[in-house]
Amino acid sequence: MPAKHENPVSDFKFDALTSLRGIAALCTVLAHLIVIWGDVFPPLQQGSLFRDFAVHTYLFVDFFFVLSGFVMSHAYGRHFADAVRAGSYMRFLRARFARVYPLHLLLLLVYVGLAAIGIKQAQENPDWSITAHLLLLHAMGFFNHTTWNQPSWSISVEWWTYIVFPFAIPLARRYFSNTAAVLALPVILGLFAFLAMHFGSANLTVGFAFFRCLIGFCAGACLYAIVRHRRMASFADAAANGALAAVFLVLLFVPSPYADMLAFVGFCALVYAASMGTGGGHWLHHPVLVWIGDISYSIYLWHSLLLHVFAKALGAAARALPFFNNHPVLFFVAALVLFEAAILLLAHMSYRFFELPLRNFLGPKKHGEARTLQVLHFR
């Protein structure tokens, strides 16, 4: 597939995709919230529509994987269209390292520091787990559970997907037509369905987590190959709205593993439609949502630690002030609003004063690579 047919960056509606990434990051928080805050708010452990939705929000990580496969196929496909050259490959890895590693390392140091002063986590962290985190190997099957900063398992598997991704591009360009991408996508959906059915859900954070990531990444790459020659901008905005609404309804009312399979299909449809929307006044282009998307990586990596901090504070407040125990719903809503404000503030500070400076310092200095990083600002 000749590189000259590549669409320019402006052809795709990255603001909409960035906003969706922010929404997904906030939804992912709920999967950990119902566990970490369970002792403070016992009703979270009981049946309710909120819980029914929250227990499935781990699936938004699969949206991240699909989105990454789509965007990196667009941004880096031309660099590796003919062959993987050492210079381009190292610049690619340097760009990805500068994007994901500094904040991962910072959170690891925070957790290890807390453990050193006696503030330990409930789960066991084996002796060499620190080394595994430093090498981004911690979700690659060496442990049977997540360690240290639990959400970082996805950073581990996505990093190793980055390692192999460039080598797949020239092969795909040479032997994989656009028609083949259309035919391959159902196969990829079938592989995801097999994982979900075999394990009871797709909530795989160690072991087969790498294959979970690889499947999502391949789905995104196939979607990009399809989108490049099949545009539907006239009704893309409505399709994106419908796909997002369908995903939320599935997560709310359908049990696993069927929710997992249907949501994955919905994520593919959502990326496909949102990438081709007309933009303008569509709500996914609202500056606030785009801002949340910009800081979504910090939201994702900081949220588990902040949930634990809030759980301690809320537990102390509930013991000291009986009013909260007498009005649990009001207490929970107020706590959730305060938490959302806190995580947005923390993520903004982290993005502005840590992520961006470190990315600029460690990342490639060439103009072309800087432009690529701008396209990939949500991951």
Side-chain angles (χ1 to χ4, degrees):
M1 196 179 302
K4 66 181 181 180
H5 293 304
E6 294 279 3
N7 289 326
V9 171
S10 59
D11 278 358
F12 293 101
K13 308 305 177 184
F14 287 101
D15 278 354
L17 295 176
T18 302
S19 295
L20 287 170
R21 180 169 179 80
I23 293 169
L26 291 176
C27 288
T28 305
V29 170
L30 300 179
H32 295 116
L33 181 147
I34 61 172
V35 176
I36 297 171
W37 285 12
D39 291 338
V40 182
F41 300 105
L44 289 177
Q45 304 300 322
Q46 302 168 5
S48 66
L49 287 178
F50 178 83
R51 178 177 171 79
D52 291 344
F53 176 77
V55 295
H56 290 121
T57 54
Y58 62 83
L59 287 164
F60 282 98
V61 177
D62 296 289
F63 175 78
F64 299 156
F65 294 151
V66 174
L67 189 56
S68 289
F70 181 94
V71 177
M72 273 196 281
S73 295
H74 174 75
Y76 289 107
R78 287 164 289 182
H79 296 283
F80 304 111
D82 300 319
V84 179
R85 296 178 176 83
S88 295
Y89 184 64
M90 294 310 297
R91 283 193 297 273
F92 165 73
L93 289 184
R94 182 177 176 181
R96 305 317 305 145
F97 180 89
R99 181 66 184 96
V100 303
Y101 196 82
L103 189 60
H104 164 68
L105 178 61
L106 175 63
L107 266 297
L108 176 62
L109 293 175
V110 170
Y111 273 97
V112 172
L114 290 173
I117 61 174
I119 304 176
K120 297 185 178 181
Q121 296 172 276
Q123 84 271 9
E124 177 189 1
N125 293 309
D127 292 340
W128 84 282
S129 60
I130 296 176
T131 302
H133 274 257
L134 291 173
L135 298 175
L136 292 172
L137 288 168
H138 51 288
M140 296 297 288
F142 296 99
F143 308 109
N144 59 10
H145 62 275
T146 54
T147 55
W148 299 107
N149 189 21
Q150 295 185 14
S152 71
W153 72 266
S154 67
I155 312 306
S156 168
V157 294
E158 191 158 342
W159 171 256
W160 292 101
T161 303
Y162 297 155
I163 297 294
V164 301
F165 164 72
F167 298 98
I169 293 178
L171 295 175
R173 295 288 176 117
R174 191 169 303 147
Y175 302 111
F176 204 65
S177 66
N178 293 318
T179 301
V182 175
L183 298 175
L185 189 57
V187 176
I188 294 169
L189 296 175
L191 289 173
F192 186 87
F194 173 79
L195 278 184
M197 291 292 291
H198 181 74
F199 291 100
S201 79
N203 191 17
L204 308 172
T205 56
V206 292
F208 281 87
F210 176 69
F211 296 99
R212 176 185 176 186
C213 176
L214 202 59
I215 289 170
F217 210 94
C218 290
C222 283
L223 288 169
Y224 177 72
I226 296 169
V227 163
R228 289 175 63 236
H229 295 280
R230 292 170 174 80
R231 312 309 297 272
M232 58 172 220
S234 60
F235 60 94
D237 290 339
N241 291 340
L244 185 60
V247 166
F248 273 74
L249 289 173
V250 164
L251 299 187
L252 189 59
F253 295 111
V254 180
S256 291
Y258 307 106
D260 305 57
M261 296 184 287
L262 292 173
F264 192 77
V265 174
F267 293 148
C268 291
L270 186 56
V271 170
Y272 184 90
S275 67
M276 297 183 297
T278 56
H282 192 263
W283 64 276
L284 285 175
H285 293 257
H286 194 283
V288 173
L289 290 177
V290 176
W291 166 68
I292 294 174
D294 285 339
I295 64 174
S296 60
Y297 186 53
S298 281
I299 292 174
Y300 182 70
L301 282 192
W302 280 106
H303 79 265
S304 182
L305 178 62
L306 191 62
L307 281 171
H308 281 287
V309 171
F310 261 69
K312 295 289 186 183
L314 294 171
R319 290 189 295 272
L321 301 172
F323 171 82
F324 291 135
N325 292 322
N326 297 331
H327 301 83
V329 175
L330 178 62
F331 185 26
F332 174 73
V333 171
L336 185 59
V337 170
L338 286 174
F339 174 82
E340 294 295 343
I343 190 61
L344 290 175
L345 177 60
L346 175 60
H348 176 76
M349 301 294 286
S350 172
Y351 175 75
R352 177 67 179 83
F353 298 107
F354 187 82
E355 279 193 66
L356 284 182
L358 268 293
R359 184 196 313 176
N360 293 334
F361 178 73
L362 297 173
K365 301 304 187 288
K366 289 187 177 181
H367 174 72
E369 291 294 337
R371 187 165 180 263
T372 298
L373 280 173
Q374 184 179 7
V375 170
L376 290 168
H377 62 289
F378 47 84
R379 189 61 181 271

